Amino acid sequence: MLIKNIKGLVGLHPKNKLVLSGSELGNLPVFENAWLLIEDGLIKDFGDMDSFPSSIAHLPSYSAEGRYVFPSWCDSHTHIVFAASREEEFAMKIQGKSYEEIAAAGGGILNSAEKLQKASEDELYESAAARLKQMIYSGTGAVEIKSGYGLTVESEIKMLRVIRRLKSEFSIPVKATFLAAHAFPTAFKNNHQGYIDLIINEMLPLIAAEKLADYIDVFCEKGFFSVEQTDQILKAGAAYGLKPKVHANQLSVSGAVEVAVKNNAVSVDHLEENNAATIETLKTADTIVTLLPSCSFYLGIPFADAKSFIKADLPVALATDYNPGSTPSGNMNFVVSLGCIKLKMFPEQAINAATLNGAAAMEISESYGSIAMGKKANLFITKPMPSIAYLPYSFGETLVDTVILNGEIYNG
Ligand code: NIG
Ligand code: FE
């Protein structure tokens, strides 16, 4: 495939640039008036239209006049396998009930778990596949998906098998994260250690045997899993080769970042709550700070302090957190807009955070997340637009026009 007359090729980082930290986030290399050649699903070459090589002039081409070509969004934090939406909680939120109050009133994660336990693997696959398809059409070309609405041996495995099926049916990279430590199920209400033992002694060996997960996650938060419990679970996961990605500091500064970093977490996600000590801890590690502004937007909780993380020279990624309770949206375009509007990131920073750093948070940035020769041709072509900043500026509008996965136009 040959694309000509591209207004701007966006995100041309050198191939060996695998993550962007601090001030590097502000650098989004763009090649104007470009052509791009894709071969065997990979980016083969690109250059200036003013010196278009005659050797490829005979190839059929697509003209992208007035349009930009972006690397696909890399959404490194989602919970898209769920049985039912939770809009009954919507009215409660509008009345001013907090996330914790809704959970205490029978909503929340346990409500989703009850419904998921009753759903079949096929039903869960179909609904998650429909969500994923919609995300792909909005520009996402790599995704991480968590379990965590099963909360029993059988249902956690069921969720992870659904994720495995998504991995094999979709032509984008899918990373699976084991999040049984999402909430204590009702049956273990008075026996928390019993549930942790179940995770460690029953779920983990089965998951490892079937190779169902790439990462392990814990919702480390007051009322959910303590720092000590998180440490125990992450260590058990590590024994099976699962690296941590941790739900940290969503509702309070809980010590989650520290325990995650101590266990070599690939990423710490959320961090709506934060203090100077958290930043000092993060400075000692390579852990990626994944911010989820759609979650803040929907729950009405504080927006993360992206500027402080960037100022501290940390690698910041942006992701959706798509789930039925705190973020019923998988639209990365909106996340990038919120990154700019609410986290006060510049468009260049937000776009880098949603592409290369999102890929880094899934450990796939060698092949995804930027435009470089030899990288995967997972891209999108925008509608005609005046500038790159126009994409986050025109929030709520989807400017993704054509999606290309592995060098082919997506029409799944
Ligand atoms: O990332 N915080 C924990 N998990 C999800 C919400 C899950 C739910 O409410 O169903 C989150 O926001
Ligand atoms: Fe989440």
Side-chain angles (χ1 to χ4, degrees):
M1 179 190 263
L2 174 63
I3 310 173
K4 285 161 73 172
N5 302 314
I6 303 165
K7 182 164 184 175
L9 257 180
V10 180
L12 291 175
H13 294 285
K15 189 161 184 276
N16 61 3
K17 191 82 208 151
L18 299 181
V19 65
L20 302 161
S21 297
S23 60
E24 294 176 331
L25 271 158
N27 174 32
L28 180 70
V30 178
F31 195 137
E32 286 172 7
N33 190 32
W35 56 269
L36 174 73
L37 181 66
I38 299 168
E39 214 178 83
D40 299 328
L42 303 178
I43 295 164
K44 171 87 173 163
D45 207 356
F46 49 80
D48 197 323
M49 276 310 293
D50 289 341
S51 53
F52 183 70
S54 55
S55 57
I56 55 169
H58 64 285
L59 294 175
S61 66
Y62 174 99
S63 177
E65 217 161 307
R67 299 161 190 272
Y68 289 87
V69 174
F70 277 66
S72 294
W73 305 128
C74 295
D75 189 352
S76 64
H77 182 137
T78 83
H79 311 243
I80 62 167
V81 179
F82 54 86
S85 55
R86 301 216 305 258
E87 62 272 26
E88 66 278 7
E89 293 175 12
F90 196 38
M92 296 170 80
K93 272 189 226 300
I94 293 166
Q95 282 170 342
K97 296 260 184 301
S98 70
Y99 184 77
E100 295 95 320
E101 286 167 330
I102 291 169
I109 296 166
L110 295 184
N111 176 357
S112 281
E114 203 181 301
K115 290 176 180 152
L116 187 134
Q117 286 160 9
K118 291 186 193 129
S120 72
E121 202 174 303
D122 284 342
E123 284 164 350
L124 292 171
Y125 174 79
E126 291 307 329
S127 63
R131 285 174 203 119
L132 189 52
K133 216 177 254 188
Q134 197 183 4
M135 291 163 75
I136 291 173
Y137 275 119
S138 67
T140 296
V143 73
E144 180 259 17
I145 310 173
K146 298 173 196 293
S147 71
Y149 292 126
L151 311 185
T152 63
V153 177
E154 189 196 347
S155 291
E156 281 296 309
I157 301 274
K158 179 168 71 179
M159 278 191 90
L160 289 167
R161 287 191 182 138
V162 170
I163 299 170
R164 179 171 67 188
R165 202 159 141 198
L166 294 167
K167 248 188 222 205
S168 72
E169 297 293 322
F170 281 79
S171 58
I172 64 169
V174 173
K175 292 281 182 174
T177 300
F178 175 51
L179 174 62
H182 199 190
F184 286 103
T186 318
F188 289 91
K189 206 169 134 197
N190 299 314
N191 178 16
H192 286 181
Q193 190 57 41
Y195 184 57
I196 294 169
D197 291 344
L198 188 76
I199 294 176
I200 295 176
N201 301 328
E202 300 203 31
M203 297 186 195
L204 270 172
L206 289 172
I207 287 160
E210 271 194 60
K211 292 196 172 47
L212 284 170
D214 303 295
Y215 300 108
I216 186 160
D217 193 346
V218 178
F219 185 18
C220 182
E221 186 64 60
K222 231 182 277 158
F224 293 86
F225 290 78
S226 70
V227 167
E228 294 70 29
Q229 292 167 337
T230 302
D231 193 45
Q232 194 188 353
I233 295 164
L234 296 185
K235 289 204 161 59
Y240 289 100
L242 302 181
K243 291 190 203 171
K245 286 170 78 66
V246 176
H247 278 75
N249 293 10
Q250 178 177 7
L251 307 170
S252 61
V253 178
S254 62
V257 168
E258 289 72 9
V259 72
V261 164
K262 191 175 97 184
N263 284 282
N264 301 314
V266 173
S267 67
V268 281
D269 302 37
H270 278 286
L271 280 79
E272 287 85 352
E273 301 290 339
N274 179 39
N275 61 22
T278 336
I279 291 193
E280 287 312 308
T281 304
L282 285 165
K283 277 186 180 170
T284 65
D286 292 328
T287 304
I288 292 170
V289 179
T290 300
L291 306 179
L292 312 162
S294 301
C295 175
S296 299
F297 176 79
Y298 181 76
L299 289 185
I301 60 174
F303 284 88
D305 187 5
K307 280 170 76 177
S308 294
F309 297 123
I310 294 173
K311 203 168 146 211
D313 213 23
L314 298 171
V316 171
L318 288 172
T320 61
D321 197 18
Y322 192 0
N323 75 75
S326 75
T327 321
S329 164
N331 193 321
M332 282 294 283
N333 304 282
F334 185 57
V335 167
V336 172
S337 288
L338 286 178
C340 297
I341 298 163
K342 292 294 189 180
L343 306 187
K344 310 288 178 209
M345 295 169 83
F346 290 108
E348 294 80 4
Q349 295 174 321
I351 292 165
N352 278 325
T355 53
L356 192 60
N357 280 5
M362 295 184 272
E363 300 180 291
I364 55 170
S365 57
E366 278 175 20
S367 309
Y368 297 89
S370 64
I371 295 182
M373 283 178 214
K375 280 189 115 166
K376 280 275 183 187
N378 279 21
L379 315 160
F380 62 82
I381 306 175
T382 68
K383 291 178 184 162
M385 53 182 206
S387 67
I388 288 165
Y390 186 80
L391 190 145
Y393 157 84
S394 59
F395 74 92
E397 191 184 351
T398 296
L399 288 153
V400 174
D401 193 39
T402 305
V403 169
I404 297 171
L405 298 180
N406 303 304
E408 284 174 23
I409 293 179
Y410 181 74
N411 50 20

